[in-house]
Each structure stands twice: as structure tokens, then as C-alpha cells.
């Protein structure tokens, strides 16, 4: 079981209607742990936030990792690992070089391929 969501104005509906009991969640593009805490509050087992900037969230079930380190550890640690992936308005910016990411014309497509690789198979 897996699902993928671009969090938008419908985020409250999505997060409150999809129970996270025991699920592992990866969040892309979050600078403040709002969505992470909503996931934890709804029963997520763990949340990993992937961001180009160095972040520090202080909660035992929430971890952060910089994008470069995450990309380097996909095959060894994260491939097929997560039940849920959330993108906080981040993929539409990938590849533009505005947030510390490398400039790549296909950055958005590469980001979505990365997410698919780290989600558990159907």
C-alpha cells in the first residue's frame, strides 16, 4: 500500500482522512514541522524530512536529512522504505537552483522518480 500527495489547500482533508497508524512518512520541502506533527498526531510511526537546508526538529519520532545525503543513501537505506510521501510545494521548484538545489531542467521529474523509489511497492 502506498500513496503520494502534493500537499495543497486540500492538505487538511488528506491528512485527516488518511490515518497514519504505524506508517513511516517522508516529507519533502518542509521548513517548519507542521505537517510532520500532524502525521505524528495521526499515528505515524516515524517521519523523515528531506530538505536542501540543514534543519533541526526536536521530536523523538521526527528526523531530518539534507537532500544530498538522502540521495546518496537511497539504495543502501531508503529504497522501498516509506509508506507515505508528502511534498510541501517543493517539486515544482526542484532544478531551478533557488533553494540550494543544483540547476537541472528535469529536476522536478527526477525528484518524483526519487519519491517513487523510496515508497514501498503497491
Amino acid at each position: 500500500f502506498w500513496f503520494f500527495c502534493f500537499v495543497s489547500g486540500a492538505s487538511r482533508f488528506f491528512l485527516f482522512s488518511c490515518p497514519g497508524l504505524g506508517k513511516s512518512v517522508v516529507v519533502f520541502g518542509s521548513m517548519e514541522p507542521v505537517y510532520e506533527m500532524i502525521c505524528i498526531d495521526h499515528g505515524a510511526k516515524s517521519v523523515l524530512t528531506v530538505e536542501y537546508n540543514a534543519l533541526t526538529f526536536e521530536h523523538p519520532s521526527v528526523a531530518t536529512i539534507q537532500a544530498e545525503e538522502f540521495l546518496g543513501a537511497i539504495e543502501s537505506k531508503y529504497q522501498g522504505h516509506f509508506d507515505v510521501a508528502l511534498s510541501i510545494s517543493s517539486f515544482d521548484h526542484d532544478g531551478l537552483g533557488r533553494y540550494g538545489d543544483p540547476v537541472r531542467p528535469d529536476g522536478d521529474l527526477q525528484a518524483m522518480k526519487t519519491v517513487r523509489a523510496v515508497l514501498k511497492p503497491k
Side-chain angles (χ1 to χ4, degrees), residues 7-49:
V7 177
S8 64
S11 61
R12 289 186 68 90
F13 171 78
F14 169 78
L15 290 168
F16 290 113
S17 65
C18 300
L21 294 175
K23 304 263 189 259
S24 59
V25 179
V26 60
V27 177
F28 296 90
S30 175
M31 295 293 291
E32 297 291 332
V34 173
Y35 294 95
E36 292 84 346
M37 292 301 101
I38 292 171
C39 291
I40 293 296
D41 189 52
H42 283 81
K45 173 179 63 176
S46 63
V47 179
L48 178 66
T49 299

mmCIF file of all heavy atoms in Angstrom, residues 7-49:
data_model
loop_
_atom_site.group_PDB
_atom_site.id
_atom_site.type_symbol
_atom_site.label_atom_id
_atom_site.label_comp_id
_atom_site.label_asym_id
_atom_site.label_seq_id
_atom_site.Cartn_x
_atom_site.Cartn_y
_atom_site.Cartn_z
ATOM 1 N N VAL A 7 0.877 18.278 -1.267
ATOM 2 C CA VAL A 7 0.067 18.943 -0.254
ATOM 3 C C VAL A 7 -0.284 20.346 -0.734
ATOM 4 O O VAL A 7 0.570 21.103 -1.142
ATOM 5 C CB VAL A 7 0.807 18.991 1.090
ATOM 6 C CG1 VAL A 7 -0.006 19.755 2.107
ATOM 7 C CG2 VAL A 7 1.081 17.585 1.571
ATOM 8 N N SER A 8 -1.553 20.664 -0.705
ATOM 9 C CA SER A 8 -2.030 21.965 -1.160
ATOM 10 C C SER A 8 -3.128 22.420 -0.217
ATOM 11 O O SER A 8 -3.133 22.041 0.941
ATOM 12 C CB SER A 8 -2.555 21.837 -2.588
ATOM 13 O OG SER A 8 -3.678 20.977 -2.591
ATOM 14 N N GLY A 9 -4.070 23.180 -0.733
ATOM 15 C CA GLY A 9 -5.189 23.635 0.081
ATOM 16 C C GLY A 9 -6.024 22.480 0.612
ATOM 17 O O GLY A 9 -6.755 22.626 1.576
ATOM 18 N N ALA A 10 -5.898 21.337 -0.009
ATOM 19 C CA ALA A 10 -6.656 20.160 0.428
ATOM 20 C C ALA A 10 -5.895 19.349 1.472
ATOM 21 O O ALA A 10 -6.295 18.253 1.834
ATOM 22 C CB ALA A 10 -6.967 19.267 -0.772
ATOM 23 N N SER A 11 -4.797 19.898 1.981
ATOM 24 C CA SER A 11 -3.960 19.132 2.901
ATOM 25 C C SER A 11 -4.693 18.696 4.155
ATOM 26 O O SER A 11 -4.492 17.583 4.631
ATOM 27 C CB SER A 11 -2.710 19.925 3.279
ATOM 28 O OG SER A 11 -3.074 21.119 3.929
ATOM 29 N N ARG A 12 -5.524 19.563 4.703
ATOM 30 C CA ARG A 12 -6.240 19.173 5.920
ATOM 31 C C ARG A 12 -7.142 17.972 5.652
ATOM 32 O O ARG A 12 -7.181 17.039 6.438
ATOM 33 C CB ARG A 12 -7.045 20.341 6.472
ATOM 34 C CG ARG A 12 -6.176 21.418 7.078
ATOM 35 C CD ARG A 12 -7.019 22.491 7.733
ATOM 36 N NE ARG A 12 -7.703 22.008 8.918
ATOM 37 C CZ ARG A 12 -7.212 22.047 10.141
ATOM 38 N NH1 ARG A 12 -6.027 22.532 10.353
ATOM 39 N NH2 ARG A 12 -7.899 21.599 11.157
ATOM 40 N N PHE A 13 -7.858 17.979 4.524
ATOM 41 C CA PHE A 13 -8.714 16.846 4.181
ATOM 42 C C PHE A 13 -7.885 15.575 4.050
ATOM 43 O O PHE A 13 -8.200 14.540 4.625
ATOM 44 C CB PHE A 13 -9.471 17.105 2.883
ATOM 45 C CG PHE A 13 -10.201 15.886 2.384
ATOM 46 C CD1 PHE A 13 -11.400 15.513 2.966
ATOM 47 C CD2 PHE A 13 -9.673 15.115 1.374
ATOM 48 C CE1 PHE A 13 -12.070 14.385 2.532
ATOM 49 C CE2 PHE A 13 -10.332 13.977 0.931
ATOM 50 C CZ PHE A 13 -11.528 13.619 1.512
ATOM 51 N N PHE A 14 -6.793 15.654 3.301
ATOM 52 C CA PHE A 14 -5.940 14.490 3.088
ATOM 53 C C PHE A 14 -5.379 13.957 4.401
ATOM 54 O O PHE A 14 -5.497 12.781 4.716
ATOM 55 C CB PHE A 14 -4.787 14.847 2.150
ATOM 56 C CG PHE A 14 -3.727 13.779 2.097
ATOM 57 C CD1 PHE A 14 -3.919 12.639 1.354
ATOM 58 C CD2 PHE A 14 -2.552 13.925 2.803
ATOM 59 C CE1 PHE A 14 -2.949 11.652 1.311
ATOM 60 C CE2 PHE A 14 -1.581 12.949 2.766
ATOM 61 C CZ PHE A 14 -1.787 11.816 2.015
ATOM 62 N N LEU A 15 -4.775 14.836 5.176
ATOM 63 C CA LEU A 15 -4.109 14.394 6.397
ATOM 64 C C LEU A 15 -5.083 13.884 7.441
ATOM 65 O O LEU A 15 -4.766 12.971 8.194
ATOM 66 C CB LEU A 15 -3.246 15.520 6.965
ATOM 67 C CG LEU A 15 -2.017 15.833 6.121
ATOM 68 C CD1 LEU A 15 -1.372 17.135 6.585
ATOM 69 C CD2 LEU A 15 -1.002 14.708 6.163
ATOM 70 N N PHE A 16 -6.268 14.438 7.492
ATOM 71 C CA PHE A 16 -7.225 13.990 8.491
ATOM 72 C C PHE A 16 -8.060 12.798 8.034
ATOM 73 O O PHE A 16 -8.666 12.123 8.830
ATOM 74 C CB PHE A 16 -8.132 15.142 8.921
ATOM 75 C CG PHE A 16 -7.417 16.165 9.735
ATOM 76 C CD1 PHE A 16 -7.206 17.431 9.245
ATOM 77 C CD2 PHE A 16 -6.918 15.847 10.991
ATOM 78 C CE1 PHE A 16 -6.516 18.380 9.988
ATOM 79 C CE2 PHE A 16 -6.224 16.777 11.744
ATOM 80 C CZ PHE A 16 -6.021 18.049 11.246
ATOM 81 N N SER A 17 -8.108 12.516 6.731
ATOM 82 C CA SER A 17 -8.912 11.403 6.252
ATOM 83 C C SER A 17 -8.090 10.149 5.982
ATOM 84 O O SER A 17 -8.654 9.098 5.733
ATOM 85 C CB SER A 17 -9.672 11.795 4.982
ATOM 86 O OG SER A 17 -8.772 12.042 3.931
ATOM 87 N N CYS A 18 -6.770 10.250 6.023
ATOM 88 C CA CYS A 18 -5.888 9.099 5.771
ATOM 89 C C CYS A 18 -5.113 8.779 7.030
ATOM 90 O O CYS A 18 -4.091 9.406 7.310
ATOM 91 C CB CYS A 18 -4.921 9.406 4.625
ATOM 92 S SG CYS A 18 -5.751 9.770 3.088
ATOM 93 N N PRO A 19 -5.588 7.838 7.826
ATOM 94 C CA PRO A 19 -4.901 7.549 9.079
ATOM 95 C C PRO A 19 -3.474 7.077 8.837
ATOM 96 O O PRO A 19 -3.202 6.347 7.902
ATOM 97 C CB PRO A 19 -5.755 6.455 9.720
ATOM 98 C CG PRO A 19 -6.532 5.862 8.602
ATOM 99 C CD PRO A 19 -6.695 6.940 7.575
ATOM 100 N N GLY A 20 -2.572 7.529 9.684
ATOM 101 C CA GLY A 20 -1.171 7.178 9.532
ATOM 102 C C GLY A 20 -0.712 6.136 10.538
ATOM 103 O O GLY A 20 0.477 5.992 10.771
ATOM 104 N N LEU A 21 -1.627 5.417 11.146
ATOM 105 C CA LEU A 21 -1.269 4.492 12.203
ATOM 106 C C LEU A 21 -0.147 3.549 11.782
ATOM 107 O O LEU A 21 -0.297 2.773 10.843
ATOM 108 C CB LEU A 21 -2.483 3.684 12.658
ATOM 109 C CG LEU A 21 -3.579 4.490 13.335
ATOM 110 C CD1 LEU A 21 -4.782 3.605 13.629
ATOM 111 C CD2 LEU A 21 -3.059 5.106 14.624
ATOM 112 N N GLY A 22 0.974 3.669 12.448
ATOM 113 C CA GLY A 22 2.096 2.782 12.199
ATOM 114 C C GLY A 22 2.837 3.017 10.908
ATOM 115 O O GLY A 22 3.682 2.224 10.521
ATOM 116 N N LYS A 23 2.554 4.084 10.212
ATOM 117 C CA LYS A 23 3.170 4.337 8.901
ATOM 118 C C LYS A 23 4.483 5.109 9.054
ATOM 119 O O LYS A 23 4.664 5.892 9.970
ATOM 120 C CB LYS A 23 2.231 5.165 8.026
ATOM 121 C CG LYS A 23 0.858 4.549 7.836
ATOM 122 C CD LYS A 23 0.795 3.797 6.553
ATOM 123 C CE LYS A 23 -0.607 3.350 6.237
ATOM 124 N NZ LYS A 23 -0.852 1.975 6.533
ATOM 125 N N SER A 24 5.381 4.863 8.109
ATOM 126 C CA SER A 24 6.598 5.664 8.023
ATOM 127 C C SER A 24 6.383 6.691 6.919
ATOM 128 O O SER A 24 5.917 6.363 5.830
ATOM 129 C CB SER A 24 7.810 4.790 7.737
ATOM 130 O OG SER A 24 7.641 4.085 6.534
ATOM 131 N N VAL A 25 6.696 7.948 7.212
ATOM 132 C CA VAL A 25 6.384 9.063 6.334
ATOM 133 C C VAL A 25 7.671 9.797 5.975
ATOM 134 O O VAL A 25 8.525 10.013 6.827
ATOM 135 C CB VAL A 25 5.409 10.048 7.030
ATOM 136 C CG1 VAL A 25 5.090 11.231 6.140
ATOM 137 C CG2 VAL A 25 4.134 9.330 7.460
ATOM 138 N N VAL A 26 7.783 10.198 4.712
ATOM 139 C CA VAL A 26 8.866 11.079 4.287
ATOM 140 C C VAL A 26 8.238 12.367 3.773
ATOM 141 O O VAL A 26 7.241 12.329 3.059
ATOM 142 C CB VAL A 26 9.783 10.423 3.214
ATOM 143 C CG1 VAL A 26 9.018 10.057 1.962
ATOM 144 C CG2 VAL A 26 10.976 11.313 2.893
ATOM 145 N N VAL A 27 8.793 13.505 4.215
ATOM 146 C CA VAL A 27 8.265 14.819 3.856
ATOM 147 C C VAL A 27 9.354 15.574 3.105
ATOM 148 O O VAL A 27 10.484 15.666 3.573
ATOM 149 C CB VAL A 27 7.838 15.618 5.107
ATOM 150 C CG1 VAL A 27 7.350 17.001 4.727
ATOM 151 C CG2 VAL A 27 6.768 14.864 5.885
ATOM 152 N N PHE A 28 9.004 16.113 1.950
ATOM 153 C CA PHE A 28 9.938 16.890 1.141
ATOM 154 C C PHE A 28 9.545 18.358 1.168
ATOM 155 O O PHE A 28 8.393 18.691 0.918
ATOM 156 C CB PHE A 28 9.927 16.395 -0.309
ATOM 157 C CG PHE A 28 10.412 14.990 -0.464
ATOM 158 C CD1 PHE A 28 9.529 13.925 -0.385
ATOM 159 C CD2 PHE A 28 11.753 14.726 -0.674
ATOM 160 C CE1 PHE A 28 9.972 12.624 -0.530
ATOM 161 C CE2 PHE A 28 12.204 13.424 -0.813
ATOM 162 C CZ PHE A 28 11.321 12.376 -0.741
ATOM 163 N N GLY A 29 10.502 19.224 1.478
ATOM 164 C CA GLY A 29 10.285 20.656 1.342
ATOM 165 C C GLY A 29 9.658 21.351 2.529
ATOM 166 O O GLY A 29 9.115 22.431 2.390
ATOM 167 N N SER A 30 9.750 20.804 3.698
ATOM 168 C CA SER A 30 9.156 21.413 4.880
ATOM 169 C C SER A 30 10.227 22.145 5.687
ATOM 170 O O SER A 30 11.240 21.563 6.047
ATOM 171 C CB SER A 30 8.517 20.327 5.748
ATOM 172 O OG SER A 30 8.034 20.860 6.947
ATOM 173 N N MET A 31 10.004 23.419 5.956
ATOM 174 C CA MET A 31 10.959 24.204 6.748
ATOM 175 C C MET A 31 10.548 24.279 8.222
ATOM 176 O O MET A 31 11.369 24.525 9.081
ATOM 177 C CB MET A 31 11.085 25.616 6.175
ATOM 178 C CG MET A 31 11.673 25.661 4.780
ATOM 179 S SD MET A 31 13.394 25.155 4.724
ATOM 180 C CE MET A 31 14.159 26.522 5.577
ATOM 181 N N GLU A 32 9.285 24.113 8.504
ATOM 182 C CA GLU A 32 8.758 24.097 9.862
ATOM 183 C C GLU A 32 7.987 22.788 10.022
ATOM 184 O O GLU A 32 7.304 22.360 9.096
ATOM 185 C CB GLU A 32 7.823 25.281 10.110
ATOM 186 C CG GLU A 32 8.498 26.634 9.997
ATOM 187 C CD GLU A 32 9.491 26.897 11.114
ATOM 188 O OE1 GLU A 32 9.313 26.356 12.229
ATOM 189 O OE2 GLU A 32 10.458 27.639 10.875
ATOM 190 N N PRO A 33 8.040 22.154 11.185
ATOM 191 C CA PRO A 33 7.475 20.804 11.325
ATOM 192 C C PRO A 33 5.965 20.720 11.500
ATOM 193 O O PRO A 33 5.464 19.907 12.271
ATOM 194 C CB PRO A 33 8.207 20.273 12.562
ATOM 195 C CG PRO A 33 8.459 21.486 13.383
ATOM 196 C CD PRO A 33 8.752 22.590 12.389
ATOM 197 N N VAL A 34 5.220 21.512 10.756
ATOM 198 C CA VAL A 34 3.758 21.493 10.879
ATOM 199 C C VAL A 34 3.184 20.165 10.373
ATOM 200 O O VAL A 34 2.442 19.482 11.085
ATOM 201 C CB VAL A 34 3.133 22.679 10.116
ATOM 202 C CG1 VAL A 34 1.614 22.579 10.103
ATOM 203 C CG2 VAL A 34 3.593 23.990 10.728
ATOM 204 N N TYR A 35 3.512 19.796 9.150
ATOM 205 C CA TYR A 35 2.972 18.560 8.574
ATOM 206 C C TYR A 35 3.515 17.333 9.299
ATOM 207 O O TYR A 35 2.807 16.341 9.471
ATOM 208 C CB TYR A 35 3.276 18.485 7.077
ATOM 209 C CG TYR A 35 2.555 19.555 6.310
ATOM 210 C CD1 TYR A 35 3.182 20.757 5.999
ATOM 211 C CD2 TYR A 35 1.234 19.384 5.923
ATOM 212 C CE1 TYR A 35 2.504 21.754 5.320
ATOM 213 C CE2 TYR A 35 0.554 20.379 5.242
ATOM 214 C CZ TYR A 35 1.196 21.561 4.939
ATOM 215 O OH TYR A 35 0.525 22.542 4.268
ATOM 216 N N GLU A 36 4.743 17.413 9.734
ATOM 217 C CA GLU A 36 5.334 16.305 10.483
ATOM 218 C C GLU A 36 4.542 16.043 11.760
ATOM 219 O O GLU A 36 4.245 14.892 12.086
ATOM 220 C CB GLU A 36 6.796 16.628 10.823
ATOM 221 C CG GLU A 36 7.712 16.672 9.628
ATOM 222 C CD GLU A 36 7.746 17.981 8.862
ATOM 223 O OE1 GLU A 36 6.860 18.845 9.063
ATOM 224 O OE2 GLU A 36 8.651 18.160 8.030
ATOM 225 N N MET A 37 4.191 17.111 12.475
ATOM 226 C CA MET A 37 3.455 16.943 13.727
ATOM 227 C C MET A 37 2.033 16.457 13.477
ATOM 228 O O MET A 37 1.494 15.686 14.268
ATOM 229 C CB MET A 37 3.449 18.243 14.529
ATOM 230 C CG MET A 37 4.819 18.651 15.076
ATOM 231 S SD MET A 37 5.557 17.421 16.180
ATOM 232 C CE MET A 37 6.718 16.618 15.102
ATOM 233 N N ILE A 38 1.429 16.881 12.378
ATOM 234 C CA ILE A 38 0.097 16.374 12.037
ATOM 235 C C ILE A 38 0.182 14.871 11.786
ATOM 236 O O ILE A 38 -0.659 14.102 12.254
ATOM 237 C CB ILE A 38 -0.490 17.112 10.819
ATOM 238 C CG1 ILE A 38 -0.799 18.562 11.177
ATOM 239 C CG2 ILE A 38 -1.745 16.406 10.306
ATOM 240 C CD1 ILE A 38 -1.191 19.436 10.000
ATOM 241 N N CYS A 39 1.209 14.435 11.068
ATOM 242 C CA CYS A 39 1.384 12.998 10.809
ATOM 243 C C CYS A 39 1.590 12.232 12.108
ATOM 244 O O CYS A 39 0.977 11.180 12.319
ATOM 245 C CB CYS A 39 2.566 12.773 9.871
ATOM 246 S SG CYS A 39 2.287 13.344 8.181
ATOM 247 N N ILE A 40 2.453 12.742 12.989
ATOM 248 C CA ILE A 40 2.699 12.089 14.280
ATOM 249 C C ILE A 40 1.406 12.039 15.090
ATOM 250 O O ILE A 40 1.061 11.017 15.694
ATOM 251 C CB ILE A 40 3.811 12.815 15.069
ATOM 252 C CG1 ILE A 40 5.160 12.661 14.357
ATOM 253 C CG2 ILE A 40 3.883 12.339 16.515
ATOM 254 C CD1 ILE A 40 5.681 11.248 14.269
ATOM 255 N N ASP A 41 0.665 13.147 15.108
ATOM 256 C CA ASP A 41 -0.598 13.207 15.849
ATOM 257 C C ASP A 41 -1.600 12.182 15.341
ATOM 258 O O ASP A 41 -2.441 11.699 16.095
ATOM 259 C CB ASP A 41 -1.184 14.618 15.758
ATOM 260 C CG ASP A 41 -2.376 14.792 16.675
ATOM 261 O OD1 ASP A 41 -2.250 14.474 17.877
ATOM 262 O OD2 ASP A 41 -3.441 15.242 16.193
ATOM 263 N N HIS A 42 -1.504 11.834 14.046
ATOM 264 C CA HIS A 42 -2.429 10.853 13.471
ATOM 265 C C HIS A 42 -1.843 9.451 13.426
ATOM 266 O O HIS A 42 -2.308 8.600 12.683
ATOM 267 C CB HIS A 42 -2.879 11.312 12.084
ATOM 268 C CG HIS A 42 -3.901 12.388 12.177
ATOM 269 N ND1 HIS A 42 -3.575 13.702 12.390
ATOM 270 C CD2 HIS A 42 -5.244 12.335 12.134
ATOM 271 C CE1 HIS A 42 -4.679 14.407 12.472
ATOM 272 N NE2 HIS A 42 -5.710 13.609 12.314
ATOM 273 N N GLY A 43 -0.807 9.213 14.215
ATOM 274 C CA GLY A 43 -0.334 7.851 14.418
ATOM 275 C C GLY A 43 0.830 7.399 13.578
ATOM 276 O O GLY A 43 1.148 6.205 13.567
ATOM 277 N N ALA A 44 1.495 8.301 12.860
ATOM 278 C CA ALA A 44 2.668 7.877 12.085
ATOM 279 C C ALA A 44 3.736 7.341 13.027
ATOM 280 O O ALA A 44 3.966 7.885 14.100
ATOM 281 C CB ALA A 44 3.226 9.040 11.269
ATOM 282 N N LYS A 45 4.371 6.269 12.606
ATOM 283 C CA LYS A 45 5.442 5.658 13.396
ATOM 284 C C LYS A 45 6.680 6.538 13.404
ATOM 285 O O LYS A 45 7.329 6.719 14.435
ATOM 286 C CB LYS A 45 5.765 4.279 12.810
ATOM 287 C CG LYS A 45 6.969 3.588 13.401
ATOM 288 C CD LYS A 45 7.182 2.223 12.775
ATOM 289 C CE LYS A 45 7.467 2.378 11.287
ATOM 290 N NZ LYS A 45 7.773 1.122 10.612
ATOM 291 N N SER A 46 7.012 7.083 12.235
ATOM 292 C CA SER A 46 8.188 7.934 12.114
ATOM 293 C C SER A 46 8.017 8.868 10.927
ATOM 294 O O SER A 46 7.280 8.567 9.987
ATOM 295 C CB SER A 46 9.447 7.091 11.923
ATOM 296 O OG SER A 46 9.356 6.364 10.708
ATOM 297 N N VAL A 47 8.715 10.001 10.991
ATOM 298 C CA VAL A 47 8.682 10.982 9.906
ATOM 299 C C VAL A 47 10.118 11.422 9.639
ATOM 300 O O VAL A 47 10.845 11.769 10.567
ATOM 301 C CB VAL A 47 7.817 12.212 10.263
ATOM 302 C CG1 VAL A 47 7.838 13.222 9.122
ATOM 303 C CG2 VAL A 47 6.391 11.804 10.600
ATOM 304 N N LEU A 48 10.499 11.392 8.367
ATOM 305 C CA LEU A 48 11.802 11.899 7.944
ATOM 306 C C LEU A 48 11.568 13.074 7.013
ATOM 307 O O LEU A 48 10.852 12.952 6.020
ATOM 308 C CB LEU A 48 12.603 10.819 7.206
ATOM 309 C CG LEU A 48 13.969 11.277 6.682
ATOM 310 C CD1 LEU A 48 14.913 11.605 7.839
ATOM 311 C CD2 LEU A 48 14.571 10.212 5.781
ATOM 312 N N THR A 49 12.159 14.227 7.332
ATOM 313 C CA THR A 49 12.038 15.411 6.487
ATOM 314 C C THR A 49 13.307 15.557 5.667
ATOM 315 O O THR A 49 14.409 15.577 6.210
ATOM 316 C CB THR A 49 11.816 16.671 7.344
ATOM 317 O OG1 THR A 49 10.608 16.499 8.081
ATOM 318 C CG2 THR A 49 11.710 17.908 6.472
#
